[in-house]
Amino acid sequence: MPEAKITIRDLYLRYSDGKEALKHISLDIQPNAITVVFGPAGGGKSSLLKVLNRLIDLSDVEEMSGEVRMGKLDILERGLDVVGLRRRIGVVFSRPIPLPLTIFQNISFGLEVAGMRDKDELRARVEKALKQAVLWEEIYDRLDDPAASLSGGQQQRLCLARVLALEPEVIMLDEPTSALDPVSTAKIEEFLQEAKKDYTILLAPHNQQQAARMSDYAAFFLQGELVEYAGGSDMFMNPKDKRSQDYVQGRFG
Amino acid sequence: MIEYPQYKKPFYALSKQNSQKVGFSFIRLITLVTILPILGIIAYIVFKGAGSITWEFLTAMPSDGMRAGGILPAIVGTFYLMIGTAIFSIPLGIAAGIYLSEYAADNRWTRLIRIAIVSLAGVPSVVYGLFGLGLFVLFFKFGISILSASLTLSIMTLPVIISTTEESLRSVPYRFRVVGVSLGGTQWQTIRRVILPQALPGIVTGIILGLERAVGETAPILFTGATFFLPHLPGSPMDATMALPYHIYVISTQVPGMPSGIQYGTVLVLLAFVLGMNLIASLIRSRARARRQW
Amino acid sequence: MKRSERFIANSIKIAGSSSILFILLIFFFLVKEGLPALGEVSFKNLFSLRWYPIEELFGILPLISGSLVVTLTSILIALPLGVGTAIYIGEIAPKKIKEILKPTVEIMAGIPSVVLGFIGIQALSPFLRTFLNLPTGLTALSGAILLALIAIPSIVSIAEDALYAVPNSYRDASYALGATQWQTIWGVVMPSARSGLMTAVMLGIGRSLGETMAVMMVTGNAATSFAGLKSIIMPVRTMTATIASEMGEVASSSVHYHVLFFIGIILFIFSLIINISSSSLQGKTKQEKGQVVS
Ligand SMILES: Nc1ncnc2c1ncn2[C@@H]1O[C@H](COP(=O)(O)OP(=O)(O)OP(=O)(O)O)[C@@H](O)[C@H]1O
Ligand SMILES: [Mg+2]
């Protein structure tokens, strides 16, 4: 096994309403692979993703402890440069949320706030990102239109593109296809399969089929516990834990 | 066929439907009584004042103890006061609105700020005048001046600008903030590039309405900056100034033998000033609403 | 980058807290200039029935009663009109009419009080004098009517918000029980909107109590002592009008000057009580954060 991209040790998270969302999780996330984080609602999948790029800072948290590292970087450190972290770990949300700006500006936003000023450079990066997200062909002639004028599927690929534009190391996707039709879903899945050679990908899947289809590794979360962590095929063909067995075979959830 | 005697309700016992009809008519009447006087007043002022509005009236100095000539110094003075008020109240009000909407935690200090804003909004205008006299005119020794009056009006206008700014910012969906931050924007970058532009029309509307009120106020400038008569235009912020509202007060109560044409003309100018601002504010608001993407 | 971010956040925080500073400053300067009055004028004099500053008679009771008479009368007029109009706009009016009425009410709010005062002098007072056959038209009633015009817009808009906040499910439940719209308005909507309507009334009172120019121009400015119901058709002098009309003529730091500031303190405290208590009646709005990551 190659060295893990992100190591999580004994991660514990409790929101200020007393809800324990993550109960002492330990997990190694492998580079250049798709790690699927799945399980029934409320299991803590989104919470885990929020911790990894510190979007959790926007929530009311009572206690967060343990250790999360990406290389030398201590992700839970208090004085961490969270802005830098978020550029390295991008996230796509379950619902397409284009910023109320133009298509171009949606993608250039992350670059501009990072200090990129050069117009040509911005243009090149925007184009590259749109091509990566397989969106360029459809919209290259209306980059200055409002992003809201795109279809839902296009919007979600735009959201993907603006993450890619930052050239992150890790891409997290939280049920990215839950609001999309099958064709748009297929486009995104196709992209992910292609992209894993360059990125570390974390995916909270939209359903079991997607989980099984996409996973190189899979982590099963149940009420804040990491029940089982295994290679994708092992998890879905031959789960070890009784609870993951039941869930994978559709006996509860 | 047998004719049954029909039960007839006495005329005063209204059915449910009829009592609703009567009730609605009553409410409509009340609304008319509320609205008509204002429309009547505006129409009356336009009718009586329009004849006096000439180029000379708007651009000449008053003459013959203000009984003739124009009202230029009052117009210019009101304009200066508006600018002065805008300079102080807009940056401070917007910043405070941003603070309350984006930065403030839900704690005791924030609640205290809110109480302070509510209190400021309720302070009677004449009390603002006293305060301005005490602080700016006498303590800071700015004297009776445009500066003192503008500062006084600014503080009076502040709560309006703060509240509308906060409200407009809050109406921008939270998810945009999350996205902005997730893309590596700092909180301020996200606010400035994404949230503020969306809230801007609402903020501008609030500013205009706040300034509209400031422009029409008399009591706060009575002892801080307004003067009865000025034979020239104010030359610096340290000069006292004439102003439309105060001028109206003066020519309708203090100067005997004022020709009513000049009185109504002056009132019409102030009214046009204020209603014009109101109109601009509504236009901005309705255009922004039509364009909004969320 | 990080330092500028912190600088901006800190500036915004300071601006956010400025309201607290201002309200304290207002209080401080009122007290600084007004409290000496208590040392210079005997209690007996200050709370006597005679306001005659030239002879060092500083009885503020007639001024307080003048303010109360005018304010209460104005609320008696403004309340039914304002709430009725709000009911019409919020519950009854077809959409088109609503879209005309709302801006009209806003325009009403924008009319400067000095303009209303002017109309009061020109039209209202002469009318009331002949209509009620009074020796003078400059009475508490004239002031109260103008004040009602000033208070109505705020009453309408707050009352309308209160009605709007009543969930539609309440109305539906009432219709399901066979109630008419009229019965629903009185039986269900109004009671549910009670605290909002209370707020509307209190803020209306606040507006009226603090209003200066319109009142000063039409109430005749005689410091009469309270004479029961008859006070309504007699000239009166309110606290605000007293400050506004006399402050310009007193030497600063004279006894009279201090007493005028002392009246300012009273007004300030009244307004604080009204505004803070009515804002605590109102529920606060919090931004819905929503689920972005879920
Ligand atoms: N901001 C928050 N404040 C308080 N509790 C929260 C917050 N966000 C999530 N929770 C709670 O933490 C638990 C885990 O939530 P999380 O969103 O991580 O689950 P999930 O596995 O992503 O679920 P889903 O499949 O529904 O997306 C849930 O019980 C949820 O109610
Ligand atoms: Mg989730």
Side-chain angles (χ1 to χ4, degrees), chain A residues 46 58 93 97 174, chain C residues 1 289 292-294:
Chain A
S46 301
L58 301 185
F93 302 109
I97 308 174
D174 194 354
Chain C
M1 173 66 90
K289 284 200 173 179
V292 177
V293 189
S294 64

Side-chain angles (χ1 to χ4, degrees), chain A residues 15-17 19-21 39-48 50 59-60 174-175, chain C residues 291 293-294:
Chain A
Y15 289 106
S16 45
D17 61 359
K19 183 80 200 173
E20 294 179 302
K45 305 170 297 253
S46 301
S47 300
L48 177 68
K50 282 193 281 184
S59 309
D60 293 327
D174 194 354
E175 306 182 24
Chain C
Q291 293 291 87
V293 189
S294 64

Side-chain angles (χ1 to χ4, degrees), chain C residues 131-150:
Chain C
F131 186 70
L132 298 176
N133 194 17
L134 300 170
T136 168
L138 300 176
T139 60
L141 182 60
S142 319
I145 292 175
L146 295 184
L147 281 187
L149 290 178
I150 290 168

Side-chain angles (χ1 to χ4, degrees), chain A residues 46-120:
Chain A
S46 301
S47 300
L48 177 68
L49 300 192
K50 282 193 281 184
V51 169
L52 293 186
N53 73 347
R54 288 281 292 269
L55 273 187
I56 197 73
D57 292 4
L58 301 185
S59 309
D60 293 327
V61 169
E62 197 170 86
E63 192 189 329
M64 182 162 71
S65 61
E67 193 183 64
V68 181
R69 285 187 177 276
M70 177 163 65
K72 289 199 185 66
L73 192 69
D74 176 1
I75 289 182
L76 297 191
E77 187 196 327
R78 265 182 171 272
L80 176 75
D81 168 24
V82 289
V83 165
L85 172 70
R86 289 171 190 153
R87 285 183 191 129
R88 293 173 66 187
I89 304 185
V91 59
V92 176
F93 302 109
S94 57
R95 192 154 58 104
I97 308 174
L99 294 174
L101 305 168
T102 66
I103 294 171
F104 185 92
Q105 288 167 333
N106 257 275
I107 300 172
S108 67
F109 174 86
L111 299 168
E112 287 181 54
V113 295
M116 191 183 286
R117 290 281 172 274
D118 186 79
K119 284 269 179 326
D120 297 330

Side-chain angles (χ1 to χ4, degrees), chain A residues 122-139:
Chain A
L122 281 172
R123 204 149 256 291
R125 289 282 287 267
V126 168
E127 178 173 341
K128 184 175 160 214
L130 281 171
K131 282 180 172 158
Q132 278 179 287
V134 216
L135 194 55
W136 177 256
E137 294 299 322
E138 292 166 55
I139 59 164

Side-chain angles (χ1 to χ4, degrees), chain B residues 53-225:
Chain B
I53 308 288
T54 59
W55 184 245
E56 203 219 330
F57 184 68
L58 298 176
T59 57
M61 303 297 290
S63 54
D64 187 21
M66 300 191 276
R67 291 184 192 83
I71 54 169
L72 180 67
I75 296 178
V76 170
T78 286
F79 204 71
Y80 285 170
L81 288 175
M82 184 173 86
I83 306 269
T85 305
I87 289 174
F88 297 117
S89 63
I90 292 177
L92 199 54
I94 292 185
I98 293 177
Y99 176 71
L100 285 177
S101 154
E102 309 293 323
Y103 289 87
D106 189 10
N107 57 23
R108 211 179 275 170
W109 184 247
T110 306
R111 277 196 290 282
L112 208 59
I113 294 177
R114 290 189 190 286
I115 290 177
I117 292 172
V118 166
S119 309
L120 279 181
V123 171
S125 54
V126 73
V127 173
Y128 274 109
L130 290 179
F131 161 67
L133 173 64
L135 178 63
F136 301 124
V137 176
L138 299 176
F139 185 77
F140 284 147
K141 302 203 166 55
F142 294 157
I144 307 269
S145 62
I146 294 178
L147 181 63
S148 296
S150 302
L151 287 167
T152 308
L153 289 172
S154 303
I155 297 177
M156 189 193 81
T157 310
L158 212 50
V160 180
I161 299 185
I162 294 175
S163 319
T164 43
T165 300
E166 187 192 353
E167 218 173 282
S168 317
L169 286 168
R170 275 181 194 274
S171 71
V172 180
Y174 187 74
R175 56 181 188 272
F176 296 148
R177 296 168 175 83
V178 178
V179 169
V181 168
S182 81
L183 291 171
T186 61
Q187 187 179 9
W188 171 245
Q189 285 170 328
T190 304
I191 294 170
R192 220 206 67 205
R193 287 166 183 266
V194 182
I195 310 301
L196 260 185
Q198 294 299 308
L200 201 58
I203 296 174
V204 172
T205 309
I207 289 172
I208 296 177
L209 292 178
L211 291 180
E212 173 192 333
R213 184 170 157 226
V215 158
E217 276 288 358
T218 318
I221 62 173
L222 270 179
F223 359 101
T224 57

Side-chain angles (χ1 to χ4, degrees), chain C residues 87-122:
Chain C
I87 292 177
Y88 184 68
I89 294 178
E91 302 287 319
I92 301 175
K95 198 153 178 268
K96 278 226 177 87
I97 296 184
K98 209 157 138 173
E99 273 162 17
I100 301 171
L101 283 178
K102 286 185 111 176
T104 312
V105 172
E106 229 167 72
I107 286 175
M108 204 167 163
I111 294 187
S113 66
V114 73
V115 170
L116 292 174
F118 173 75
I119 291 296
I121 292 177
Q122 295 287 322

